[in-house]
Amino acid sequence: MDPEYRDRAVYLDGTLVLADLHFGKAEASTVEFPIGAGEDCVDRLEGLLDRFDPDEVVLAGDVFHSFSSVPDSADAALSGIVRAVRDSGARLVVVEGNHDTMLGDAYAGDLRDEYELDTDGDETVVVCHGHEEPETTADAYVVGHDHPAIEIEGQKRPCFLLGDGAYRRSDVLVVPPFNRLVEGLSVNGRVGTSRPELSPMVTRVAQFRPVVFDAESEETLTFPPLGQFSRML
């Protein structure tokens, strides 16, 4: 797996993967969020489509936030994603997450529990949301669900987590939430702790390496495994 990281998304062998859009989160919250989270996601996706020109785009779960309704803003945001991918000439694949109980009411395409990528090499890569263990055996998995972020020098940044051989000897890449209004869950201090709401594929978090894409410098920064790096923070 040779990922290219950019703006909370990852590009792998012709496929762009993003997770945890959580459209409709603002309507479900008691906190007043700025308007336009859906439009922001669509605009940024269009930028990624222009940059990578992928063959397919995979949404790795939790497209919606609410379990019981589809706000108009969420429906419009999903329509914008579908339109942007279609106009780019790419194929859209949608994987369901634990929040996506209403997704079938708004999306007419096929919904997957997990999806195997068409990679250039012999490696099998499967995208799933990560809230439950996958059925497909793979060399590597790309998941969302955990909303990882890391605090460095008082600044909290969304991060990817890369675990070599972390799940049944298979690699795991955790993608941060694409929606910038979704607060990341800090990985600082998680070493040696267990939280049941986290992915069952990220149980040995100490061996995962945080990866941060710095938008200002357009550099990808890869840090040591958390078991080592957490002692430096």
Side-chain angles (χ1 to χ4, degrees):
M1 185 167 58
D2 186 20
E4 185 172 348
Y5 307 96
R6 193 172 187 88
D7 191 17
R8 301 178 179 235
V10 63
Y11 179 73
L12 291 160
D13 288 341
T15 300
L16 183 68
V17 181
L18 45 147
D20 295 290
L21 295 106
H22 283 277
F23 292 143
K25 180 175 175 59
E27 289 79 358
S29 176
T30 57
V31 179
E32 185 176 349
F33 283 113
I35 297 174
E39 292 89 338
D40 175 70
C41 286
V42 174
D43 288 346
R44 287 165 44 232
L45 173 59
E46 289 175 341
L48 291 168
L49 291 168
D50 289 342
R51 179 178 180 84
F52 292 113
D53 190 25
D55 298 319
E56 60 185 5
V57 176
V58 181
L59 307 184
D62 282 4
V63 177
F64 288 159
H65 183 73
S66 175
F67 294 95
S68 59
S69 64
V70 181
D72 290 342
S73 63
D75 192 27
L78 177 57
S79 296
I81 294 290
V82 172
R83 182 171 57 254
V85 174
R86 181 193 63 214
D87 291 349
S88 77
R91 185 168 74 98
L92 180 64
V93 178
V94 181
V95 174
E96 290 185 279
N98 55 303
H99 276 255
D100 289 324
T101 55
M102 302 297 296
L103 186 54
D105 293 343
Y107 180 65
D110 291 337
L111 298 174
R112 311 290 187 95
D113 291 327
E114 49 197 57
Y115 179 68
E116 183 176 336
L117 302 187
D118 184 13
T119 59
D120 293 336
D122 296 330
E123 187 179 39
T124 303
V125 180
V126 167
V127 178
C128 54
H129 183 57
H131 62 297
E132 56 188 13
E133 297 189 65
E135 294 186 2
T136 304
T137 300
D139 299 303
Y141 297 92
V142 182
V143 305
H145 186 60
D146 274 358
H147 305 175
I150 191 164
E151 295 181 44
I152 302 175
E153 296 181 345
Q155 184 176 4
K156 191 174 185 179
R157 298 170 177 262
C159 72
F160 302 84
L161 292 177
L162 183 58
D164 297 330
Y167 174 73
R168 298 183 178 178
R169 299 184 180 178
S170 298
D171 298 341
V172 178
L173 173 60
V174 186
V175 182
F178 193 67
N179 188 336
R180 293 194 286 193
L181 294 185
V182 177
E183 183 179 5
L185 179 62
S186 177
V187 297
N188 300 66
R190 270 182 55 186
V191 176
T193 65
S194 177
R195 295 180 56 170
E197 72 271 22
L198 300 179
S199 172
M201 304 175 70
V202 192
T203 54
R204 294 183 291 170
V205 71
Q207 70 184 83
F208 280 78
R209 289 176 284 150
V211 179
V212 175
F213 175 76
D214 185 81
E216 292 185 7
S217 64
E218 296 197 350
E219 289 184 305
T220 298
L221 309 173
T222 302
F223 297 97
L226 278 168
Q228 175 186 349
F229 187 49
S230 61
R231 295 192 293 269
M232 306 175 187
L233 297 173

